Amino acid sequence: MTTATTTYAGTRTRTPVGRRLGRGIGRRLLPGFTALAIGYLLIPIVVMILFSFNDYQGKFNFIWNGFTLKAWEAPLAWPGLPDALKLSLTIAALSTLFATLLGTMIGLALTRYQFRGRGLINGLIFLPMASPEIVLGASLLTLFINISLGAGITPPGLGFLPKTALSLGFTTILIAHIMFNISYVVVTVKARLSGFDRRLEEAAMDLGANEWTTFWKVTFPLIFPGILAAALLAFSLSIDDFVITNFVSGTSLTFPMWVYSVIRNALPAQINVIGSAIFLVAVGGVALATLIQGRAPRFSR
Amino acid sequence: MPILAATGRDRIARSEGGSGSGEEENPARVTDVAVRLVQLTKRFGGDTTGKRVATYVDGAKADDTFLAVDHIDLEVRDGEFFSLLGPSGCGKTTTLRMIGGFEQPTSGLIELKGEDVSWLPAYQRNVNTVFQNYALFPHLTVFENVAFGLRRRKVADADIKQRVGDMLELVELPGYERRKPGQLSGGQAQRVALARALVNKPAVLLLDEPLGALDLKLRKQMQVELKRIQQEVRITFIYVTHDQEEAMTMSDRIAVMNKGKYEQLGDPEVLYERPQTRFVAGFLGVSNLLRATPDGPVDGYAVYRLADATAVRVPQQLVQGESGPVAIGVRPEKIRLSEAKADVAPGLNRLAGVISDASYLGVSTQYIVSLAGGGSVTVYEQNVERATKSELWTAGESVQLTWVPEHSFVVADEGSASNAAQEDLS
Ligand SMILES: Nc1ncnc2c1ncn2[C@@H]1O[C@H](COP(=O)(O)OP(=O)(O)O)[C@@H](O)[C@H]1O
Ligand SMILES: [Mg+2]
């Protein structure tokens, strides 16, 4: 208290003692709490990265033995890992692409147009986000099996599909991932669109731009940060998904599923390596997005 | 009186139901028309255009319709500064948006330089708009904002550079090319919006309350500026405002709108000196309206009697044939005050009253005078003959009010109960 009083005495003589005291404590406690909170969030990641450099012995990368680059030098050196990673990246890329495309269009439609059932769709969009993954996974599995057997509850209109079209594997994982990603994209894009001033589009048309040019020269550049954020979110949700994927993947193994399958017998440092790499890419992506978002212009004026 | 004749014609053209009397009198004028509206109508809310506008107006039911623009016939001449003036909600913006192509008419025609553009999309009309909130593209620099229209027309780069530079010069913002709209003040953004529209050399420039967001001083400055620019580029301006002073300052002609129609169209002086309706009289400046009944003509003058039987004379040619009760109007600055018993020149209109309030305004003094026959009248007196406190009239003094009959106007009395209403709706 004395220190606080003396430090402030010169400049803020009129500040009441109580508030000075409060501020003095706040000044020292706040950074402490902040450090704790950030540490709480970051320590698992630090451990993951640290142990990717562990010179581990045997099958389990649990005990620190010293620094080495050997896992980083052979990041894919486990049977099954390259295939799983490839599958996960492909699924993530494709589902991000489709979900972003569809989600953006849905977001545009929902904010732009008045149509019958708009409110209903607005609500339904949240359902996949709100439902437990285990429910989605189980129901998707049931649906896919019914379709591929050509039996039971095949939704009307899907009868034309060959029976093997939806046999469990790549296609079904992709469909599931697009499905749950769309909601997140729609919500993110809608948030960006809600502040959009339609008069900017009228101004573009006033100046001779047709609908197409108006979209690409005015609308798209202005909502791009939202679309990018949505795409990053979709990618990370897809590459990470275990529960739903586990239901619909058949015999295919995505990276998270492969990790789950090996950790019963071994805990290779390569998991940490891949995890660290994904983390770094994600950090890079988020930094990029923040940069663009930060420079993104306000809508007004 | 040629001015009166012009207004009379406009009035006929307005009130006709399709006989189109405006044009045939003077066919030569047709080529000079920049914009012609024929029975232009906009009805919101119904499905008259096949589109259902759900609940724009609070509490409106889905099938409620609202006549925002009501069969307007209008000709805007080439190169003129034309204003649509009216209170909020009277349909000014809707009219402008239909001309710009942002709103489809429910019925009627819009002709631009003699060509029917009613169904053309905005980007195919040779018209540009200055939006109320400016609507500058926030992701583009000032240069690219102004160049936007030229780029759509594939103008060569060197040309664009030249024209954008010239235009920024015209609006007095040279050197601002690389700024983003977010880095501009309101006044500067306003100028960029103007440059962005004008650089395309449109046949008509539409401006929707472009100065509404600026503070008073800047607004006054921009009014002068806008007028200068308009005279320099000689493009037809259609200017929308609810501010009568703004419209009067800048316009060559004004249409005073009310409830989806315009009540009178004419030069600012004509609108002020000879308003034809109670609404126009009240919307432009302050009017004293005295309810009266006609009492026959006497040597070129129509005589009217006020409620207390005082006779008021109005030149016969100012009377438009209203037969029932009317309201005699006289502007506050046209009335002279004198001692109650003083002699006044014959031929003047004369009323007796008592000063009930005096406010010294510097350049003039505003008096509220209670009339002997009931009601009250506002009078502005220049502080020339009487300027010091002791010389001014004070409350309680009996006075007589006089004015030249030629300074009166007559409007139909729309059943307003007040004898002498002062309406200052602006
Ligand atoms: N899109 C719309 N749907 C329904 N009513 C509208 C719409 N646009 C304007 N209106 C109504 O039409 C009337 C005229 O509006 P507007 O032209 O904007 O008036 P002003 O510009 O003169 O203030 C107002 O009563 C307004 O509520
Ligand atoms: Mg308006």
Side-chain angles (χ1 to χ4, degrees), chain B residues 44-45 53 56-57 66 68 87-95 103 208 240:
Chain B
F44 282 115
V53 189
Y56 182 92
V57 191
F66 183 82
S88 171
C90 71
K92 308 179 296 288
T93 297
T94 309
T95 308
E103 207 85 69
D208 190 358
V240 157

Side-chain angles (χ1 to χ4, degrees), chain B residues 94-205:
Chain B
T94 309
T95 308
L96 208 69
R97 285 173 59 80
M98 285 194 281
I99 301 173
F102 306 116
E103 207 85 69
Q104 282 187 348
T106 306
S107 65
L109 283 186
I110 301 164
E111 278 178 22
L112 189 63
K113 298 255 180 191
E115 187 198 347
D116 181 3
V117 298
S118 314
W119 299 97
L120 285 186
Y123 51 85
Q124 284 174 11
R125 298 186 189 193
N126 189 14
V127 169
N128 286 116
T129 308
V130 177
F131 293 84
Q132 176 161 13
N133 66 342
Y134 319 134
L136 297 180
F137 305 124
H139 59 302
L140 300 179
T141 59
V142 166
F143 181 92
E144 285 304 326
N145 263 281
V146 178
F148 195 91
L150 299 177
R151 292 216 188 282
R152 303 285 79 72
R153 302 212 310 262
K154 309 259 183 292
V155 176
D157 271 356
D159 240 17
I160 291 182
K161 209 157 179 272
Q162 174 75 34
R163 285 170 68 175
V164 171
D166 288 351
M167 207 33 83
L168 288 176
E169 197 91 30
L170 181 76
V171 299
E172 291 172 348
L173 281 180
Y176 278 70
E177 282 87 347
R178 298 177 60 186
R179 296 245 195 141
K180 286 283 185 74
Q183 301 165 308
L184 300 175
S185 73
Q188 291 168 340
Q190 172 60 64
R191 287 157 194 265
V192 174
L194 191 63
R196 182 178 69 173
L198 281 178
V199 77
N200 306 294
K201 301 194 180 126
V204 177
L205 185 74

Side-chain angles (χ1 to χ4, degrees), chain A residues 4 10 27 58 144 166 220 232:
Chain A
R27 267 168 72 89
F144 289 144
L166 292 182
F220 183 76
L232 284 170

Side-chain angles (χ1 to χ4, degrees), chain A residues 215-254:
Chain A
F215 181 79
W216 288 110
K217 292 282 176 195
V218 175
T219 317
F220 183 76
L222 287 173
I223 64 171
F224 177 70
I227 296 179
L228 184 69
L232 284 170
L233 185 64
F235 192 90
S236 75
L237 286 172
S238 167
I239 204 145
D240 166 75
D241 183 73
F242 181 83
V243 178
I244 295 179
T245 313
N246 198 34
F247 274 101
V248 300
S249 60
T251 54
S252 307
L253 274 190
T254 60

